[in-house]
Amino acid sequence: DVKVTQSSRYLVKRTGEKVFLECVQDMDHENMFWYRQDPGLGLRLIYFSYDVKMKEKGDIPEGYSVSREKKERFSLILESASTNQTSMYLCASSRSGSYNEQFFGPGTRLTVL
Amino acid sequence: KQEVTQIPAALSVPEGENLVLNCSFTDSAIYNLQWFRQDPGKGLTSLLLIQSSQREQTSGRLNASLDKSSGRSTLYIAASQPGDSATYLCAYAGAGSYQLTFGKGTKLSVIP
């Protein structure tokens, strides 16, 4: 079975802090994704990566950056956390190509005070 | 912007009932559609993936259908159980896109 893990289930940070969210998958998937999920807005794509060191912006990249130095690991970085970035963050992975099944991690509930 | 609509937003049924969850989408060029389950405060669990060339997929008590011409997918759950209580989301991948477009989900409660 595909396993996608995220470094923290719950995280509390202060406004202005730099925040790192880590995601690791163990199925040698080429594609990895970061989403955020908010009540009433659903899931929205922040960034995705289709290969090591490659990244593409999703629908809401502002205020975020990403890093993919190794195939199995995809990091989401909040350069200067703000209260409007309080959300549930979900990581996903899939095999290469556009149309393959995405598998999700357990999520990180981030609160920015 | 393409949209995915899931109606109803919430549904409550007695245990043992068969039920259908609906998903409609505006993009006529979808490549696949995926159904997920999400328990409160948790991540998404993939239930079924239907490729655009397929009409339906089955897994246990779950059956998902896809009608591209009408822009609709349904998830059929047979003999519902309290453990089926969760939010169910559908999402599709559009033409040449890595991105999934999600509906807002249907929250299902199965009453013992």
Side-chain angles (χ1 to χ4, degrees):
Chain A
D1 281 351
V2 174
K3 189 165 185 183
V4 180
T5 58
Q6 295 183 227
S7 51
S8 305
R9 289 300 313 279
Y10 301 94
L11 208 53
V12 179
K13 295 292 183 181
R14 297 281 180 189
T15 301
E17 280 192 77
K18 191 169 186 176
V19 181
F20 293 86
L21 302 182
E22 304 284 338
C23 176
V24 177
Q25 49 92 8
D26 68 356
M27 282 301 290
D28 203 34
H29 283 174
E30 286 76 18
N31 300 334
M32 296 188 75
F33 307 82
W34 275 107
Y35 296 87
R36 65 177 282 177
Q37 184 177 30
D38 301 285
L41 297 176
L43 274 89
R44 294 176 291 168
L45 182 66
I46 305 171
Y47 268 98
F48 68 94
S49 169
Y50 52 89
D51 202 351
V52 175
K53 297 191 186 295
M54 305 304 291
K55 61 185 179 184
E56 293 284 344
K57 293 180 180 179
D59 293 327
I60 51 164
E62 297 78 18
Y64 303 95
S65 62
V66 290
S67 173
R68 192 161 180 207
E69 297 296 320
K70 293 185 178 182
K71 189 175 185 180
E72 68 271 18
R73 188 179 298 270
F74 192 34
S75 302
L76 180 69
I77 303 157
L78 287 65
E79 295 289 344
S80 178
S82 64
T83 55
N84 63 13
Q85 292 178 311
T86 291
S87 186
M88 170 70 101
Y89 290 88
L90 293 161
C91 175
S93 72
S94 69
R95 289 185 289 116
S96 63
S98 309
Y99 320 128
N100 290 304
E101 189 174 7
Q102 288 191 20
F103 296 90
F104 281 75
T108 295
R109 171 70 65 183
L110 173 67
T111 301
V112 183
L113 302 176
Chain B
K1 184 175 168 67
Q2 305 293 352
E3 290 188 350
V4 179
T5 303
Q6 292 187 249
I7 295 173
L11 180 64
S12 184
V13 300
E15 182 178 2
E17 191 162 297
N18 302 326
L19 60 101
V20 174
L21 305 180
N22 296 296
C23 172
S24 61
F25 45 90
T26 55
D27 191 342
S28 60
I30 74 166
Y31 277 83
N32 65 38
L33 188 136
Q34 199 167 348
W35 281 94
F36 297 89
R37 168 191 173 130
Q38 186 176 31
D39 294 289
K42 303 287 180 65
L44 278 63
T45 300
S46 179
L47 297 174
L48 290 164
L49 173 73
I50 310 176
Q51 301 290 356
S52 62
S53 58
Q54 298 173 320
R55 294 292 297 236
E56 64 178 65
Q57 281 283 350
T58 297
S59 176
R61 293 183 294 108
L62 306 180
N63 176 276
S65 67
L66 175 64
D67 184 342
K68 285 177 58 178
S69 62
S70 66
R72 292 186 60 191
S73 177
T74 60
L75 179 67
Y76 174 83
I77 302 177
S80 58
Q81 303 170 358
D84 295 329
S85 298
T87 297
Y88 291 81
L89 297 111
C90 68
Y92 77 86
S97 173
Y98 291 92
Q99 183 169 342
L100 285 177
T101 300
F102 280 85
K104 292 185 170 59
T106 295
K107 184 176 182 180
L108 173 66
S109 298
V110 180
I111 311 301

